[in-house]
PDB file of all heavy atoms in Angstrom:
ATOM      1  N   GLU A   1     -31.564 -27.232  74.834  1.00  0.00           N
ATOM      2  CA  GLU A   1     -31.258 -28.557  74.300  1.00  0.00           C
ATOM      3  C   GLU A   1     -30.164 -28.517  73.246  1.00  0.00           C
ATOM      4  O   GLU A   1     -29.449 -29.488  73.036  1.00  0.00           O
ATOM      5  CB  GLU A   1     -32.512 -29.197  73.699  1.00  0.00           C
ATOM      6  CG  GLU A   1     -33.436 -29.839  74.716  1.00  0.00           C
ATOM      7  CD  GLU A   1     -32.795 -31.026  75.424  1.00  0.00           C
ATOM      8  OE1 GLU A   1     -32.197 -31.864  74.734  1.00  0.00           O
ATOM      9  OE2 GLU A   1     -32.898 -31.100  76.655  1.00  0.00           O
ATOM     10  N   ALA A   2     -30.030 -27.413  72.542  1.00  0.00           N
ATOM     11  CA  ALA A   2     -29.028 -27.310  71.464  1.00  0.00           C
ATOM     12  C   ALA A   2     -27.660 -26.858  71.967  1.00  0.00           C
ATOM     13  O   ALA A   2     -26.698 -26.878  71.210  1.00  0.00           O
ATOM     14  CB  ALA A   2     -29.513 -26.343  70.388  1.00  0.00           C
ATOM     15  N   SER A   3     -27.570 -26.478  73.236  1.00  0.00           N
ATOM     16  CA  SER A   3     -26.299 -25.937  73.727  1.00  0.00           C
ATOM     17  C   SER A   3     -25.325 -27.032  74.122  1.00  0.00           C
ATOM     18  O   SER A   3     -24.114 -26.797  74.190  1.00  0.00           O
ATOM     19  CB  SER A   3     -26.549 -25.016  74.926  1.00  0.00           C
ATOM     20  OG  SER A   3     -26.970 -25.784  76.055  1.00  0.00           O
ATOM     21  N   GLY A   4     -25.836 -28.235  74.391  1.00  0.00           N
ATOM     22  CA  GLY A   4     -24.958 -29.337  74.787  1.00  0.00           C
ATOM     23  C   GLY A   4     -24.233 -29.078  76.094  1.00  0.00           C
ATOM     24  O   GLY A   4     -23.175 -29.649  76.351  1.00  0.00           O
ATOM     25  N   GLY A   5     -24.823 -28.211  76.932  1.00  0.00           N
ATOM     26  CA  GLY A   5     -24.200 -27.937  78.223  1.00  0.00           C
ATOM     27  C   GLY A   5     -22.952 -27.082  78.135  1.00  0.00           C
ATOM     28  O   GLY A   5     -22.123 -27.072  79.046  1.00  0.00           O
ATOM     29  N   ARG A   6     -22.777 -26.354  77.046  1.00  0.00           N
ATOM     30  CA  ARG A   6     -21.587 -25.537  76.884  1.00  0.00           C
ATOM     31  C   ARG A   6     -21.567 -24.382  77.880  1.00  0.00           C
ATOM     32  O   ARG A   6     -22.605 -23.893  78.315  1.00  0.00           O
ATOM     33  CB  ARG A   6     -21.514 -24.975  75.458  1.00  0.00           C
ATOM     34  CG  ARG A   6     -21.348 -26.040  74.385  1.00  0.00           C
ATOM     35  CD  ARG A   6     -21.312 -25.390  73.022  1.00  0.00           C
ATOM     36  NE  ARG A   6     -22.470 -24.521  72.819  1.00  0.00           N
ATOM     37  CZ  ARG A   6     -22.539 -23.602  71.866  1.00  0.00           C
ATOM     38  NH1 ARG A   6     -21.531 -23.409  71.068  1.00  0.00           N
ATOM     39  NH2 ARG A   6     -23.623 -22.870  71.725  1.00  0.00           N
ATOM     40  N   ALA A   7     -20.360 -23.926  78.197  1.00  0.00           N
ATOM     41  CA  ALA A   7     -20.216 -22.818  79.152  1.00  0.00           C
ATOM     42  C   ALA A   7     -20.822 -21.533  78.602  1.00  0.00           C
ATOM     43  O   ALA A   7     -21.184 -20.638  79.355  1.00  0.00           O
ATOM     44  CB  ALA A   7     -18.730 -22.614  79.468  1.00  0.00           C
ATOM     45  N   GLU A   8     -20.941 -21.459  77.252  1.00  0.00           N
ATOM     46  CA  GLU A   8     -21.437 -20.215  76.636  1.00  0.00           C
ATOM     47  C   GLU A   8     -22.961 -20.151  76.617  1.00  0.00           C
ATOM     48  O   GLU A   8     -23.534 -19.237  76.032  1.00  0.00           O
ATOM     49  CB  GLU A   8     -20.942 -20.126  75.178  1.00  0.00           C
ATOM     50  CG  GLU A   8     -19.448 -20.177  75.015  1.00  0.00           C
ATOM     51  CD  GLU A   8     -18.926 -21.594  74.795  1.00  0.00           C
ATOM     52  OE1 GLU A   8     -19.639 -22.540  75.186  1.00  0.00           O
ATOM     53  OE2 GLU A   8     -17.824 -21.743  74.259  1.00  0.00           O
ATOM     54  N   GLU A   9     -23.628 -21.114  77.273  1.00  0.00           N
ATOM     55  CA  GLU A   9     -25.082 -21.169  77.108  1.00  0.00           C
ATOM     56  C   GLU A   9     -25.786 -19.925  77.654  1.00  0.00           C
ATOM     57  O   GLU A   9     -26.824 -19.516  77.117  1.00  0.00           O
ATOM     58  CB  GLU A   9     -25.659 -22.431  77.752  1.00  0.00           C
ATOM     59  CG  GLU A   9     -25.545 -22.517  79.249  1.00  0.00           C
ATOM     60  CD  GLU A   9     -26.162 -23.807  79.792  1.00  0.00           C
ATOM     61  OE1 GLU A   9     -26.208 -24.817  79.076  1.00  0.00           O
ATOM     62  OE2 GLU A   9     -26.578 -23.781  80.958  1.00  0.00           O
ATOM     63  N   ARG A  10     -25.238 -19.298  78.698  1.00  0.00           N
ATOM     64  CA  ARG A  10     -25.887 -18.106  79.244  1.00  0.00           C
ATOM     65  C   ARG A  10     -25.855 -16.959  78.234  1.00  0.00           C
ATOM     66  O   ARG A  10     -26.873 -16.302  78.008  1.00  0.00           O
ATOM     67  CB  ARG A  10     -25.200 -17.691  80.553  1.00  0.00           C
ATOM     68  CG  ARG A  10     -25.749 -16.404  81.187  1.00  0.00           C
ATOM     69  CD  ARG A  10     -27.263 -16.380  81.298  1.00  0.00           C
ATOM     70  NE  ARG A  10     -27.804 -17.529  82.009  1.00  0.00           N
ATOM     71  CZ  ARG A  10     -29.096 -17.773  82.128  1.00  0.00           C
ATOM     72  NH1 ARG A  10     -29.984 -16.957  81.566  1.00  0.00           N
ATOM     73  NH2 ARG A  10     -29.513 -18.828  82.785  1.00  0.00           N
ATOM     74  N   SER A  11     -24.716 -16.727  77.584  1.00  0.00           N
ATOM     75  CA  SER A  11     -24.650 -15.668  76.581  1.00  0.00           C
ATOM     76  C   SER A  11     -25.511 -16.028  75.375  1.00  0.00           C
ATOM     77  O   SER A  11     -26.095 -15.151  74.737  1.00  0.00           O
ATOM     78  CB  SER A  11     -23.203 -15.420  76.142  1.00  0.00           C
ATOM     79  OG  SER A  11     -22.644 -16.590  75.562  1.00  0.00           O
ATOM     80  N   GLY A  12     -25.589 -17.335  75.063  1.00  0.00           N
ATOM     81  CA  GLY A  12     -26.461 -17.774  73.974  1.00  0.00           C
ATOM     82  C   GLY A  12     -27.917 -17.493  74.284  1.00  0.00           C
ATOM     83  O   GLY A  12     -28.667 -17.027  73.420  1.00  0.00           O
ATOM     84  N   LEU A  13     -28.316 -17.762  75.517  1.00  0.00           N
ATOM     85  CA  LEU A  13     -29.700 -17.478  75.922  1.00  0.00           C
ATOM     86  C   LEU A  13     -29.998 -15.992  75.833  1.00  0.00           C
ATOM     87  O   LEU A  13     -31.074 -15.588  75.370  1.00  0.00           O
ATOM     88  CB  LEU A  13     -29.927 -17.951  77.361  1.00  0.00           C
ATOM     89  CG  LEU A  13     -30.485 -19.345  77.580  1.00  0.00           C
ATOM     90  CD1 LEU A  13     -30.602 -19.630  79.070  1.00  0.00           C
ATOM     91  CD2 LEU A  13     -31.837 -19.515  76.900  1.00  0.00           C
ATOM     92  N   GLU A  14     -29.058 -15.176  76.263  1.00  0.00           N
ATOM     93  CA  GLU A  14     -29.262 -13.721  76.197  1.00  0.00           C
ATOM     94  C   GLU A  14     -29.449 -13.270  74.758  1.00  0.00           C
ATOM     95  O   GLU A  14     -30.272 -12.390  74.473  1.00  0.00           O
ATOM     96  CB  GLU A  14     -28.081 -13.004  76.836  1.00  0.00           C
ATOM     97  CG  GLU A  14     -28.006 -13.183  78.351  1.00  0.00           C
ATOM     98  CD  GLU A  14     -26.760 -12.571  78.949  1.00  0.00           C
ATOM     99  OE1 GLU A  14     -25.914 -12.064  78.169  1.00  0.00           O
ATOM    100  OE2 GLU A  14     -26.620 -12.596  80.188  1.00  0.00           O
ATOM    101  N   MET A  15     -28.699 -13.895  73.827  1.00  0.00           N
ATOM    102  CA  MET A  15     -28.840 -13.545  72.412  1.00  0.00           C
ATOM    103  C   MET A  15     -30.224 -13.950  71.910  1.00  0.00           C
ATOM    104  O   MET A  15     -30.887 -13.181  71.200  1.00  0.00           O
ATOM    105  CB  MET A  15     -27.763 -14.241  71.581  1.00  0.00           C
ATOM    106  CG  MET A  15     -27.897 -14.018  70.076  1.00  0.00           C
ATOM    107  SD  MET A  15     -26.662 -14.914  69.115  1.00  0.00           S
ATOM    108  CE  MET A  15     -27.099 -16.615  69.498  1.00  0.00           C
ATOM    109  N   VAL A  16     -30.670 -15.156  72.264  1.00  0.00           N
ATOM    110  CA  VAL A  16     -31.991 -15.628  71.831  1.00  0.00           C
ATOM    111  C   VAL A  16     -33.084 -14.702  72.357  1.00  0.00           C
ATOM    112  O   VAL A  16     -33.990 -14.301  71.615  1.00  0.00           O
ATOM    113  CB  VAL A  16     -32.237 -17.072  72.312  1.00  0.00           C
ATOM    114  CG1 VAL A  16     -33.694 -17.478  72.069  1.00  0.00           C
ATOM    115  CG2 VAL A  16     -31.294 -18.034  71.587  1.00  0.00           C
ATOM    116  N   TYR A  17     -32.989 -14.332  73.627  1.00  0.00           N
ATOM    117  CA  TYR A  17     -34.008 -13.456  74.213  1.00  0.00           C
ATOM    118  C   TYR A  17     -33.927 -12.035  73.654  1.00  0.00           C
ATOM    119  O   TYR A  17     -34.925 -11.304  73.648  1.00  0.00           O
ATOM    120  CB  TYR A  17     -33.873 -13.436  75.732  1.00  0.00           C
ATOM    121  CG  TYR A  17     -34.223 -14.751  76.392  1.00  0.00           C
ATOM    122  CD1 TYR A  17     -33.567 -15.174  77.555  1.00  0.00           C
ATOM    123  CD2 TYR A  17     -35.200 -15.585  75.855  1.00  0.00           C
ATOM    124  CE1 TYR A  17     -33.888 -16.383  78.165  1.00  0.00           C
ATOM    125  CE2 TYR A  17     -35.529 -16.794  76.449  1.00  0.00           C
ATOM    126  CZ  TYR A  17     -34.860 -17.186  77.601  1.00  0.00           C
ATOM    127  OH  TYR A  17     -35.179 -18.377  78.203  1.00  0.00           O
ATOM    128  N   HIS A  18     -32.742 -11.650  73.181  1.00  0.00           N
ATOM    129  CA  HIS A  18     -32.601 -10.342  72.531  1.00  0.00           C
ATOM    130  C   HIS A  18     -33.431 -10.290  71.248  1.00  0.00           C
ATOM    131  O   HIS A  18     -34.128  -9.297  70.989  1.00  0.00           O
ATOM    132  CB  HIS A  18     -31.128 -10.074  72.226  1.00  0.00           C
ATOM    133  CG  HIS A  18     -30.894  -8.919  71.310  1.00  0.00           C
ATOM    134  ND1 HIS A  18     -31.086  -7.596  71.683  1.00  0.00           N
ATOM    135  CD2 HIS A  18     -30.493  -8.873  69.992  1.00  0.00           C
ATOM    136  CE1 HIS A  18     -30.816  -6.801  70.667  1.00  0.00           C
ATOM    137  NE2 HIS A  18     -30.461  -7.536  69.622  1.00  0.00           N
ATOM    138  N   TYR A  19     -33.348 -11.361  70.444  1.00  0.00           N
ATOM    139  CA  TYR A  19     -34.090 -11.389  69.188  1.00  0.00           C
ATOM    140  C   TYR A  19     -35.559 -11.779  69.375  1.00  0.00           C
ATOM    141  O   TYR A  19     -36.416 -11.375  68.582  1.00  0.00           O
ATOM    142  CB  TYR A  19     -33.422 -12.344  68.200  1.00  0.00           C
ATOM    143  CG  TYR A  19     -32.120 -11.819  67.656  1.00  0.00           C
ATOM    144  CD1 TYR A  19     -30.907 -12.359  68.074  1.00  0.00           C
ATOM    145  CD2 TYR A  19     -32.091 -10.758  66.753  1.00  0.00           C
ATOM    146  CE1 TYR A  19     -29.698 -11.864  67.589  1.00  0.00           C
ATOM    147  CE2 TYR A  19     -30.897 -10.263  66.273  1.00  0.00           C
ATOM    148  CZ  TYR A  19     -29.708 -10.810  66.691  1.00  0.00           C
ATOM    149  OH  TYR A  19     -28.517 -10.307  66.218  1.00  0.00           O
ATOM    150  N   PHE A  20     -35.814 -12.560  70.411  1.00  0.00           N
ATOM    151  CA  PHE A  20     -37.187 -13.020  70.674  1.00  0.00           C
ATOM    152  C   PHE A  20     -37.573 -12.689  72.114  1.00  0.00           C
ATOM    153  O   PHE A  20     -37.656 -13.578  72.972  1.00  0.00           O
ATOM    154  CB  PHE A  20     -37.302 -14.526  70.438  1.00  0.00           C
ATOM    155  CG  PHE A  20     -36.928 -14.976  69.060  1.00  0.00           C
ATOM    156  CD1 PHE A  20     -35.723 -15.620  68.832  1.00  0.00           C
ATOM    157  CD2 PHE A  20     -37.780 -14.756  67.991  1.00  0.00           C
ATOM    158  CE1 PHE A  20     -35.379 -16.050  67.558  1.00  0.00           C
ATOM    159  CE2 PHE A  20     -37.449 -15.169  66.712  1.00  0.00           C
ATOM    160  CZ  PHE A  20     -36.245 -15.820  66.491  1.00  0.00           C
ATOM    161  N   PRO A  21     -37.781 -11.403  72.421  1.00  0.00           N
ATOM    162  CA  PRO A  21     -38.116 -11.019  73.808  1.00  0.00           C
ATOM    163  C   PRO A  21     -39.382 -11.694  74.322  1.00  0.00           C
ATOM    164  O   PRO A  21     -39.522 -11.898  75.537  1.00  0.00           O
ATOM    165  CB  PRO A  21     -38.272  -9.493  73.716  1.00  0.00           C
ATOM    166  CG  PRO A  21     -38.439  -9.181  72.258  1.00  0.00           C
ATOM    167  CD  PRO A  21     -37.700 -10.236  71.522  1.00  0.00           C
ATOM    168  N   LYS A  22     -40.270 -12.070  73.418  1.00  0.00           N
ATOM    169  CA  LYS A  22     -41.481 -12.768  73.843  1.00  0.00           C
ATOM    170  C   LYS A  22     -41.139 -14.098  74.516  1.00  0.00           C
ATOM    171  O   LYS A  22     -41.821 -14.540  75.451  1.00  0.00           O
ATOM    172  CB  LYS A  22     -42.390 -13.011  72.633  1.00  0.00           C
ATOM    173  CG  LYS A  22     -43.763 -13.568  72.971  1.00  0.00           C
ATOM    174  CD  LYS A  22     -44.616 -13.734  71.727  1.00  0.00           C
ATOM    175  CE  LYS A  22     -44.966 -12.400  71.106  1.00  0.00           C
ATOM    176  NZ  LYS A  22     -45.927 -12.541  69.967  1.00  0.00           N
ATOM    177  N   LEU A  23     -40.057 -14.743  74.060  1.00  0.00           N
ATOM    178  CA  LEU A  23     -39.659 -16.016  74.651  1.00  0.00           C
ATOM    179  C   LEU A  23     -39.174 -15.847  76.092  1.00  0.00           C
ATOM    180  O   LEU A  23     -39.331 -16.754  76.919  1.00  0.00           O
ATOM    181  CB  LEU A  23     -38.559 -16.673  73.816  1.00  0.00           C
ATOM    182  CG  LEU A  23     -38.948 -17.172  72.426  1.00  0.00           C
ATOM    183  CD1 LEU A  23     -37.748 -17.857  71.769  1.00  0.00           C
ATOM    184  CD2 LEU A  23     -40.135 -18.119  72.494  1.00  0.00           C
ATOM    185  N   TYR A  24     -38.590 -14.687  76.398  1.00  0.00           N
ATOM    186  CA  TYR A  24     -38.142 -14.448  77.780  1.00  0.00           C
ATOM    187  C   TYR A  24     -39.345 -14.445  78.723  1.00  0.00           C
ATOM    188  O   TYR A  24     -39.285 -15.035  79.807  1.00  0.00           O
ATOM    189  CB  TYR A  24     -37.400 -13.123  77.870  1.00  0.00           C
ATOM    190  CG  TYR A  24     -36.930 -12.802  79.275  1.00  0.00           C
ATOM    191  CD1 TYR A  24     -35.793 -13.400  79.793  1.00  0.00           C
ATOM    192  CD2 TYR A  24     -37.650 -11.918  80.074  1.00  0.00           C
ATOM    193  CE1 TYR A  24     -35.374 -13.128  81.084  1.00  0.00           C
ATOM    194  CE2 TYR A  24     -37.235 -11.631  81.372  1.00  0.00           C
ATOM    195  CZ  TYR A  24     -36.109 -12.254  81.878  1.00  0.00           C
ATOM    196  OH  TYR A  24     -35.702 -11.989  83.160  1.00  0.00           O
TER     197      TYR A  24
END
C-alpha cells in the first residue's frame, strides 16, 4: 500500500522481507 505502484516495489519487498523474514 505504501509503494504507490512504483516500479521499485519488488526490490522494496525484498528489503522488507530481509529485515522481517517472518513476514515472508
Side-chain angles (χ1 to χ4, degrees):
E1 279 295 314
S3 70
R6 295 179 307 164
E8 302 92 338
E9 66 179 27
R10 177 49 55 186
S11 61
L13 267 179
E14 291 175 356
M15 176 183 64
V16 170
Y17 292 147
H18 168 71
Y19 288 107
F20 302 105
K22 188 178 293 186
L23 292 183
Y24 179 79

